[in-house]
Amino acid sequence: MRNLVFILLINFVATAQNSIPEVLEKLNKKTVSYIKVNELDNSNYVILDTREPKEYIVSHLPKAISVGYNYFDIKKVNTIIKNKNTPIVVYCSIGVRSEKIGEKLKKSGYTNIYNLYGGIFEYKNKGGKVVNQKNIATDSIHAFSKQWSVYLKKGIKVYEN
């Protein structure tokens, strides 16, 4: 029920905002430092995709590890990333859900966490390459919902898989 209320709230706020920066300003607390798309060098970070598996399957950043949102399990992350000082980038569609997961990582002792500003939407909008579940480049991006899809300017919007 709590997740449903959160999703309804972010959908309501998203429909009233004109841009990713406006949504992030309204919904995020800036508890996790942002990293901009142009600052991201995938080789220096462990990248965690905090969207749901159905979103990850459609496309994700190369080398990203799916950790989910609704069923996020810190124990899974602890087995994958043993060094709590490892540089980590979390992302979701635009950066709201990933901030929440970043907060959980911080509570668990991880110290070097960044939230990808604008998420996979901004990454794709800026010309970033994404891959599907077979690690093949794709232009498809799971758009999360019709309301959120307005922030994805490049790529093929996919709503369900």
Side-chain angles (χ1 to χ4, degrees):
M1 182 66 165
R2 186 174 173 200
N3 287 331
L4 177 61
V5 171
F6 176 71
I7 288 170
L8 291 173
L9 173 67
I10 60 178
N11 279 335
F12 173 76
V13 171
T15 58
Q17 307 306 314
N18 294 320
S19 67
I20 290 173
E22 288 177 323
V23 174
L24 294 178
E25 185 65 33
K26 189 85 166 172
L27 292 177
N28 280 3
K29 298 181 252 171
K30 300 178 187 160
T31 54
V32 178
S33 298
Y34 287 120
I35 185 169
K36 300 276 183 147
V37 169
N38 63 340
E39 299 170 323
L40 182 63
D41 173 1
N42 294 1
S43 64
N44 293 328
Y45 302 95
V46 173
I47 301 173
L48 301 180
D49 187 316
T50 66
R51 301 172 303 148
E52 293 307 314
K54 67 182 180 182
E55 296 170 87
Y56 179 86
I57 287 169
V58 172
S59 63
H60 53 273
L61 274 63
K63 299 182 183 176
I65 300 165
S66 177
V67 295
Y69 179 77
N70 289 333
Y71 301 102
F72 175 76
D73 182 0
I74 193 65
K75 291 176 191 169
K76 176 183 175 184
V77 175
N78 289 334
T79 61
I80 297 167
I81 309 170
K82 299 193 184 316
N83 181 347
K84 300 277 183 160
N85 297 316
T86 299
I88 299 170
V89 172
V90 290
Y91 77 90
C92 61
S93 295
I94 69 165
V96 176
R97 291 177 287 173
S98 51
E99 181 180 68
K100 306 280 185 250
I101 298 301
E103 290 169 351
K104 290 179 180 185
L105 291 167
K106 286 173 95 172
K107 272 188 186 167
S108 182
Y110 289 94
T111 61
N112 203 359
I113 305 159
Y114 301 92
N115 187 6
L116 183 60
Y117 189 87
I120 194 169
F121 287 8
E122 187 69 5
Y123 184 81
K124 187 66 177 164
N125 289 344
K126 299 264 183 174
K129 294 186 185 201
V130 296
V131 296
N132 63 20
Q133 66 181 344
K134 295 179 181 176
N135 207 33
I136 298 170
T138 183
D139 281 328
S140 296
I141 303 286
H142 195 289
F144 187 69
S145 70
K146 296 279 184 186
Q147 291 87 2
W148 286 100
S149 72
V150 299
Y151 305 115
L152 180 63
K153 307 298 183 192
K154 292 185 179 176
I156 300 165
K157 297 172 185 178
V158 175
Y159 295 97
E160 281 306 314
N161 184 20

